[in-house]
Amino acid sequence: MRVHRLEVQAFGPFADRQKVDFDQLGEQGLFLLNGATGAGKTSVLDAICFALYGSVPGARQDGHRLRSDHAPIDLEPLVILEFSVADRQFLVERSPAWQRPAKRGKSTVTEQARTLLQEKVEGSWQPMTSRSQEAGGEISALLGMNREQFTKVVMLAQGEFAAFLRAQVKERKELLQKLFSTDRFQAVEEQLAATATSLASEVAEQDAALAAILQQAREQLRRFLPRSEEAHPAVATAESEERTEPAEPRLAQHEATEEADFVEILSLAEQAQVDSLTALQRAESEELSSQLELQKAEQLSLRHSALAAAETVKAAVQAQSMDRAAAQAAFELHHLAEGFGSEIERLRQASRDQLLAANTMERLRSELPAEFASSDSADWQAAARQLARESSVAEAMLPEQQLVDDQRTELQQTRGELLDQQQKVEQLGGRLSELLAQQNEVSSEAAAAEKAASQAELREQQLTNSAEKLKAFQQRERLAESFRDLDEQLQEAKAAQLEAKEQWLKLLQARLEHAAAELAAKLSPGEACPVCGALEHPRPASNGDEVRGSERLEEQAMAQQEERQQLVEILTERHAALRAELAASAAQAGESSLEVLTEQHQHNLAAQQAATAAAELSDQLKLTMLELVAEHGELSITLQESETRVHQLSAKASTLEASIAERSAKIAEQLGSDSTLQSKIRRLTEQERLLLEAATADGVLAQRSQEANTAQRLLDDKLAGTVFDSAEAVSAALLSAERLAELQQRLSHYQEEAIRAEQAWQSAEVQAALQERAEQITPPSEELLGQLGVAREEAAREVRTTALQSALASQLFATVTESASRYTILDEQLRPLRERSQMLTALAETARGLGHNDYKMPLSAYVLAARLEQVAAAATERLLTMSDGRYSLEYSDALAGRSRKSGLGLEVIDGWTDQRRDTSTLSGGESFMASLALALGLADVVQQESGGLQIETLFVDEGFGSLDEQALDQVMTSLENLRDSGRVVGLVSHVAEMKLRIPQQLQVIKGRAGSTLTTKVLDELE
């Protein structure tokens, strides 16, 4: 990703439109962004971030304050950014929401935020989207980074990474989580925990099912066995035992006991089955004996009862002879009267219809209102039409009634919500009082911590001074040795230069002695002599070979002498510089010994750490105070909203009550004597129905009366000259189908009774009874039969009881057998589930940093630790260059102490002393180099994590002023390496040395009318 062009207007401190060509500014790969404090250097970076993501970093992301206060009130705030990703080129244009003057009047109108994202396709800009959120999503997908990652990767805030070096594990984790998404690993932790919990619950349920199977078998056996056997150990229940252990260990502990219980229970059930079968056989034998004795007595009684019955039937047949003759006469008279059946039936039907119509009319008259009881059909129809009209009017009022009912429901809900809001207001008031008390307490603690931390800056300066003195002492020793070596090299170089100079002068003298021969060697016929100007050369000097050799030797000697002279000058310059550096180091180190300087540094380090701890406590208390104040503010707003809601609900309830009263009055006026509109409509509808039915029934009654008169006249004509003198006589002779069937049945019965009486008298039982009567054998009495019956019933009852007991015993044995089988199967099925539950529980605890996780490191923290290790490795590559091979960063997974979670530690390794120490012990300049290296390393890792997208434009903020000249050279070398890889690096700095080192500069110039941007090169500045 490379930034090409930026335009800003009415944005931040920039009132007029400002343009920056980053392609021109970054031609040399490195440029400086400088300007006075408050000029707007950060606003340039904010504009880039706003163009890409629609917001700016940190607390500056309040969109309502992005517009410049210097700009004209009608000028739209605008940011335009042209950038490229790989071989694709994009142009994004954004304007935040702002207040513009209204076209009429002096008020203002809110202009909504505006966004336009375009891509250059075949040389022209093609719109992609004009939706802000969609544009942000497109850009995030293109860059592979969200805003938090972009501001850490492209805009390297060295100060934030310096804080990252000194941060605790929690703060580091929060930053790394923003840069590296670990949601999926946290989801794995939660899923493992949920699965382990689910399996544990399932195991517990299955264990409970095992216990229930055993308990059920015990209860079944306990209910079956006699009371004397209930005390058996296998039958005793475990309800009174106190079980506080988990189900799984308890069942594992008592597994052998429970299996033994099942064996004993099976044995008892089998014995109960055998005993009940024996008792059943004995009861069945006794029942058979009593049954035979009862049958013998009953058979004797039955024979004599049959004799008595035969005698009774015989006497009855003789007594029924007269009744049989009367039945035969009535049967014959019925057949004669059947000839008049149709006329009689027609008269009967007509009479029934007339009577039914009359009854209906009478009933309807009794149901009609009193004012209509004496009216006729026409009056009833007119009244029905009037009632229909009244019913329609009442039905028209039903929606009004429904509205009143709905309003009453809404009023009830409103009163309920009003009560809830009033209670909420009371609770919020109490919480606000608690927050004020907590604020006072935290304020007192913060004041004490602030007082203790006030010495932090002094202690830090003392620590820096002692570290610099110690460093200067060590540097003085190294420089002294280097100075001695360089002095020897300088003396040797001077001697060699003098020797070369003497040799050159000798060869130069020899060349001058042969100058005439050298000039003669260059003469040509017809050309002027360079000495006398003659065109003829009669006697030129000779010895040309010797002249050419001396010329070559003299030139070689002169070159050697100049080369050695240059070496002397270089060594002399280095000698003077090293001498000055040695003098400066000696002055800075003072005259104290190494032991004294080391002791002073350790003392200052302890004092600085104590002050830092106090400062951290103060910061924590300030943060707590801010949180309390924020909560107080939020609760105050919530309280205000709740109070406003209470007023709204009260007003709404009053409005509903008034509306209900008004509508209810209208409905009551319509109701009259009725309680509801529905009841009035039902009453009117019912009266209308009765009136219409009465009018219809009156017509039906008249028709039925006419039909009855006609049927009577036809019957009278046919009866003339017959044995029947009236219709009543015919009707009396006619028998109903039931009566006729009964008469036929009676005649048949008379005949059958006669035959059966004869057969019964001749039966073997009756003849045997006659024989026994002749032999004076009497039947058993009812009392004796009753006694025999009771004995048989008792025997049968005993059989049923023992049979039921035997069936229960068999069922018990089958149930207990089946329970034992289910227990064994379920226990075998549960075994792998229990083992898997134990495995998943251990795995979930390990993933959450618990259990056997020695480092107390959750899975998400482990992933972040791997990323931090990559960042440390990438940062070390640059830190080694910046620190001249001295310092490197290394990831640490050491425990944080007091069982706190670990895995996000950082240590700095001093290559000169091979000592490891905390990153917070680095000096100001060293902290800058380490934080810059960390920022660059983090940028590389995040870039790789985001899909390997090449970041071709980087910005590095302040911090260069804490570096000495050598450290600055090393840092610049590292930054130039970034430039060599094709990146454009922008440095944000106030350091004057940086202005001399970097030719390409973007200056931010502030003024009363707003800031401006100017691109200049070093020559123009000079």
Side-chain angles (χ1 to χ4, degrees):
M1 180 267 185
R2 180 184 290 270
V3 176
H4 297 286
R5 176 170 60 90
L6 173 68
E7 295 184 23
V8 293
Q9 171 184 289
F11 184 87
F14 307 109
D16 300 327
R17 177 166 293 203
Q18 305 294 317
K19 300 180 180 180
V20 181
D21 188 345
F22 283 100
D23 289 337
Q24 179 184 358
L25 186 63
E27 285 180 349
Q28 298 183 11
L30 192 65
F31 68 90
L32 179 67
L33 175 59
N34 68 79
T37 301
K41 299 185 296 298
T42 303
S43 295
V44 175
L45 307 183
D46 287 349
I48 295 175
C49 187
F50 176 76
L52 293 173
Y53 294 97
S55 60
V56 298
R60 303 188 302 278
Q61 63 183 343
D62 183 1
H64 297 289
R65 298 299 303 158
L66 294 179
R67 188 180 185 278
S68 176
D69 296 331
H70 300 283
I73 60 175
D74 59 347
L75 184 61
E76 177 189 26
L78 182 65
V79 177
I80 300 175
L81 180 69
E82 183 179 345
F83 66 98
S84 61
V85 179
D87 57 349
R88 301 174 66 185
Q89 196 163 354
F90 301 91
L91 183 69
V92 60
E93 180 178 330
R94 286 188 190 267
S95 175
W98 62 292
Q99 297 291 326
R100 64 167 177 82
K103 296 181 179 179
R104 295 186 180 86
K106 298 182 180 180
S107 61
T108 59
V109 178
T110 300
E111 191 71 25
Q112 299 301 323
R114 181 174 61 83
T115 301
L116 176 61
L117 176 63
Q118 305 178 77
E119 182 179 4
K120 181 172 284 188
V121 180
E122 296 180 355
S124 62
W125 293 107
Q126 300 296 327
M128 294 179 63
T129 180
S130 59
R131 296 180 180 178
S132 178
Q133 187 173 3
E134 187 174 328
E138 288 282 352
I139 293 174
S140 296
L142 286 169
L143 301 183
M145 294 179 284
N146 56 30
R147 193 196 69 189
E148 291 289 341
Q149 293 173 318
F150 180 83
T151 55
K152 296 296 185 298
V153 173
V154 179
M155 302 175 179
L156 305 180
Q158 178 270 338
E160 294 186 16
F161 285 95
F164 181 81
L165 285 173
R166 299 188 296 270
Q168 300 295 325
V169 171
K170 180 180 179 182
E171 288 79 8
R172 283 182 185 157
K173 182 178 180 181
E174 291 175 353
L175 175 60
L176 291 174
Q177 282 178 332
K178 292 178 181 179
L179 297 175
F180 303 104
S181 177
T182 58
D183 295 343
R184 59 186 183 277
F185 300 103
Q186 290 179 342
V188 170
E189 295 177 19
E190 295 171 359
Q191 182 61 37
L192 284 174
T195 304
T197 302
S198 175
L199 280 178
S201 300
E202 187 175 352
V203 168
E205 292 177 0
Q206 296 297 329
D207 286 339
L210 287 174
I213 292 173
L214 178 60
Q215 184 63 23
Q216 181 183 11
R218 288 171 173 164
E219 288 295 327
Q220 290 172 342
L221 186 61
R222 181 178 61 81
R223 287 194 297 267
F224 181 81
L225 293 179
R227 292 291 179 182
S228 61
E229 298 184 27
E230 285 188 5
H232 194 281
V235 185
T237 64
E239 294 178 355
S240 61
E241 296 179 4
E242 183 177 347
R243 295 181 176 180
T244 59
E245 295 181 314
E248 184 177 331
R250 176 167 49 76
L251 290 178
Q253 180 180 359
H254 297 291
E255 183 176 357
T257 302
E258 292 175 350
E259 291 179 356
D261 285 348
F262 259 121
V263 172
E264 186 65 22
I265 290 172
L266 280 171
S267 177
L268 291 174
E270 184 178 12
Q271 184 61 44
Q273 184 182 28
V274 173
D275 293 345
S276 62
L277 286 174
T278 302
L280 177 61
Q281 292 173 354
R282 184 170 55 253
E284 288 176 344
S285 176
E286 293 177 356
E287 181 194 23
L288 180 60
S289 177
S290 61
Q291 178 69 24
L292 292 175
E293 186 176 356
L294 176 61
Q295 286 179 353
K296 182 179 179 180
E298 286 179 344
Q299 289 173 357
L300 178 60
S301 177
L302 287 174
R303 286 194 297 272
H304 285 269
S305 297
L307 175 60
E311 291 175 343
T312 302
V313 169
K314 186 175 182 180
V317 169
Q318 294 174 354
Q320 291 174 352
S321 59
M322 294 181 63
D323 184 53
R324 181 173 54 186
Q328 184 65 37
F331 183 76
E332 293 175 354
L333 186 62
H334 166 76
H335 281 293
L336 180 62
E338 282 182 336
F340 301 92
S342 60
E343 288 77 6
I344 293 296
E345 181 60 28
R346 180 177 180 182
L347 178 60
R348 286 178 179 175
Q349 183 62 40
S351 299
R352 285 195 297 268
D353 292 344
Q354 182 182 13
L355 179 61
L356 179 60
N359 291 337
T360 300
M361 189 67 248
E362 186 65 25
R363 176 180 60 80
L364 289 175
R365 282 185 181 277
S366 64
E367 292 178 357
L368 288 174
E371 62 269 23
F372 300 114
S374 59
S375 302
D376 57 10
S377 176
D379 294 337
W380 290 338
Q381 291 178 351
R385 288 192 294 272
Q386 178 62 29
L387 291 176
R389 288 192 292 270
E390 293 180 7
S391 177
S392 299
V393 173
E395 287 178 351
M397 290 295 294
L398 285 177
E400 195 75 10
Q401 177 67 54
Q402 182 61 43
L403 181 59
V404 170
D405 294 341
D406 294 342
Q407 287 181 335
R408 284 173 177 161
T409 302
E410 185 178 1
L411 177 61
Q412 183 178 4
Q413 295 174 350
T414 301
R415 287 172 175 169
E417 185 180 356
L418 176 61
L419 179 59
D420 294 340
Q421 289 294 334
Q422 290 172 342
Q423 293 175 351
K424 183 178 180 180
V425 168
E426 183 178 354
Q427 294 172 355
L428 288 174
R431 178 55 183 163
L432 286 174
S433 300
E434 294 177 2
L435 287 175
L436 288 175
Q438 293 178 6
Q439 290 178 15
N440 295 332
E441 181 180 354
V442 172
S443 178
S444 301
E445 295 178 358
E450 182 70 23
K451 182 177 180 181
S454 62
Q455 299 294 320
E457 184 175 357
L458 175 61
R459 300 303 184 191
E460 180 68 28
Q461 185 61 42
Q462 290 175 347
L463 178 63
T464 302
N465 293 338
S466 62
E468 290 177 351
K469 282 186 177 183
L470 185 60
K471 179 180 178 182
F473 181 89
Q474 297 169 346
Q475 187 175 11
R476 184 186 68 183
E477 296 301 316
R478 293 193 301 272
L479 291 176
E481 183 178 356
S482 299
F483 182 77
R484 288 190 294 271
D485 295 340
L486 183 59
D487 188 66
E488 292 178 2
Q489 295 177 15
L490 179 59
Q491 297 304 323
E492 293 174 357
K494 285 181 178 180
Q497 188 268 338
L498 290 174
E499 181 181 354
K501 185 175 183 181
E502 291 176 358
Q503 180 65 26
W504 170 63
L505 290 174
K506 289 178 182 180
L507 292 173
L508 180 61
Q509 182 64 33
R511 182 181 177 186
L512 291 175
E513 292 174 354
H514 298 87
E518 182 178 346
L519 291 173
K522 296 180 180 180
L523 292 176
S524 298
E527 292 185 359
C529 176
V531 178
C532 64
L535 296 177
E536 296 181 359
H537 317 294
R539 291 191 302 274
S542 60
N543 201 6
D545 293 338
E546 186 176 350
V547 169
R548 285 190 294 272
S550 64
E551 180 183 359
R552 185 173 60 257
L553 292 174
E554 185 272 333
E555 289 176 352
Q556 292 177 351
M558 184 178 64
Q560 185 177 12
Q561 185 271 340
E562 290 176 351
E563 180 180 348
R564 293 187 178 182
Q565 177 63 33
Q566 290 177 356
L567 178 59
V568 169
E569 291 174 356
I570 292 173
L571 292 176
T572 301
E573 184 180 355
R574 291 176 59 189
H575 188 272
L578 190 58
R579 175 182 294 164
E581 191 174 356
L582 178 59
S585 297
Q588 186 177 3
E591 299 180 357
S592 300
S593 64
L594 178 62
E595 291 76 9
V596 173
L597 291 175
T598 302
E599 183 178 355
Q600 289 177 352
H601 181 68
Q602 294 296 332
H603 174 74
N604 291 335
L605 177 60
Q608 185 269 342
Q609 290 176 344
T612 301
E616 291 177 354
L617 177 60
S618 176
D619 292 341
Q620 293 175 357
L621 291 174
K622 288 178 181 178
L623 181 59
T624 301
M625 175 62 75
L626 290 176
E627 293 174 350
L628 291 174
V629 171
E631 184 180 359
H632 187 277
E634 293 175 358
L635 289 181
S636 298
I637 294 173
T638 304
L639 176 60
Q640 184 177 1
E641 293 174 350
S642 298
E643 290 175 344
T644 301
R645 184 59 178 162
V646 167
H647 294 315
Q648 294 174 347
L649 292 173
S650 299
K652 182 178 180 181
S654 300
T655 302
L656 289 173
E657 290 172 352
S659 177
I660 291 171
E662 181 181 355
R663 297 179 187 279
S664 298
K666 293 180 181 179
I667 294 172
E669 181 180 353
Q670 179 62 230
L671 287 177
S673 60
D674 294 295
S675 59
T676 63
L677 288 174
Q678 289 81 356
S679 62
K680 181 175 182 178
I681 293 171
R682 287 194 297 271
R683 177 179 61 79
L684 294 175
T685 303
E686 179 64 19
Q687 290 179 356
E688 178 188 3
R689 182 188 64 78
L690 290 174
L691 289 171
L692 292 176
E693 288 184 0
T696 302
D698 187 51
V700 171
L701 176 60
Q703 181 180 357
R704 296 293 182 265
S705 298
Q706 183 178 0
E707 292 174 354
N709 293 333
T710 302
Q712 181 65 48
R713 185 175 63 256
L714 293 175
L715 178 62
D716 291 341
D717 293 342
K718 191 173 181 178
L719 286 176
T722 64
V723 296
F724 301 107
D725 56 357
S726 65
E728 287 76 8
V730 175
S731 297
L734 285 173
L735 300 176
S736 64
E738 294 80 3
R739 176 62 180 164
L740 181 62
E742 179 188 357
L743 194 62
Q744 290 175 339
Q745 185 178 6
R746 185 187 303 174
L747 291 173
S748 299
H749 175 71
Y750 290 156
Q751 185 176 1
E752 291 172 358
E753 283 293 322
I755 295 172
R756 188 165 51 252
E758 183 61 25
Q759 290 176 348
W761 187 261
Q762 297 299 327
S763 66
E765 291 180 348
V766 171
Q767 294 301 317
L770 290 173
Q771 182 65 31
E772 289 172 347
R773 179 186 293 177
E775 297 175 358
Q776 296 183 352
I777 298 175
T778 59
S781 64
E782 291 294 330
E783 181 180 359
L784 178 59
L785 288 175
Q787 292 174 354
L788 293 175
V790 169
R792 190 201 62 178
E793 287 297 328
E794 289 179 353
R797 189 182 302 111
E798 182 65 21
V799 169
R800 290 193 299 272
T801 301
T802 53
L804 177 61
Q805 195 73 3
S806 177
L808 290 175
S810 299
Q811 182 181 3
L812 172 65
F813 181 72
T815 302
V816 172
T817 303
E818 191 269 339
S819 297
S821 176
R822 283 195 298 120
Y823 185 94
T824 301
I825 294 172
L826 184 59
D827 185 60
E828 288 298 325
Q829 292 175 346
L830 182 58
R831 196 180 310 278
L833 182 64
R834 185 182 290 114
E835 293 173 355
R836 184 165 183 265
S837 174
Q838 294 171 349
M839 180 272 292
L840 276 177
T841 299
L843 181 59
E845 290 182 350
T846 301
R848 293 167 56 197
L850 304 173
H852 298 292
N853 190 330
D854 296 335
Y855 289 102
K856 307 300 180 184
M857 189 188 303
L859 177 60
S860 56
Y862 177 79
V863 174
L864 291 179
R867 295 291 184 267
L868 181 59
E869 187 173 10
Q870 294 174 346
V871 171
T876 295
E877 295 181 9
R878 292 182 172 83
L879 184 58
L880 287 172
T881 301
M882 296 181 190
S883 63
D884 197 18
R886 180 177 181 182
Y887 293 118
S888 60
L889 291 173
E890 187 170 293
Y891 153 77
S892 173
D893 58 3
L895 288 173
R898 296 184 180 179
S899 298
R900 288 183 294 173
K901 296 179 179 179
S902 61
L904 298 178
L906 271 180
E907 292 180 340
V908 61
I909 301 177
D910 191 336
W912 291 357
T913 61
D914 292 333
Q915 295 296 316
R916 293 176 179 266
R917 51 195 175 102
D918 192 83
T919 52
S920 62
T921 63
L922 292 172
S923 65
E926 293 167 344
S927 293
F928 170 75
M929 291 189 293
S931 59
L932 178 58
L934 187 65
L936 294 172
L938 184 61
D940 291 340
V941 175
V942 173
Q943 174 181 320
Q944 183 180 3
E945 178 75 9
S946 302
L949 176 67
Q950 183 66 31
I951 304 299
E952 300 179 22
T953 303
L954 292 177
F955 294 90
V956 183
D957 76 349
E958 284 284 4
F960 298 93
S962 61
L963 303 177
D964 57 28
E965 184 176 358
Q966 181 182 2
L968 184 58
D969 286 338
Q970 294 165 349
V971 170
M972 291 299 297
T973 299
S974 180
L975 294 175
E976 287 174 356
N977 291 337
L978 293 177
R979 178 184 65 182
D980 294 340
S981 63
R983 295 179 177 175
V984 175
V985 181
L987 305 183
V988 184
S989 177
H990 294 280
V991 180
E993 179 70 17
M994 302 294 289
K995 297 179 182 180
L996 300 177
R997 286 176 175 265
I998 304 175
Q1000 296 291 118
Q1001 298 182 14
L1002 176 61
Q1003 287 191 333
V1004 186
I1005 303 172
K1006 68 178 180 180
R1008 290 182 176 274
S1011 298
T1012 57
L1013 296 173
T1014 304
T1015 302
K1016 293 186 178 182
V1017 297
L1018 187 59
D1019 292 340
E1020 296 177 1
L1021 293 173
E1022 294 177 347

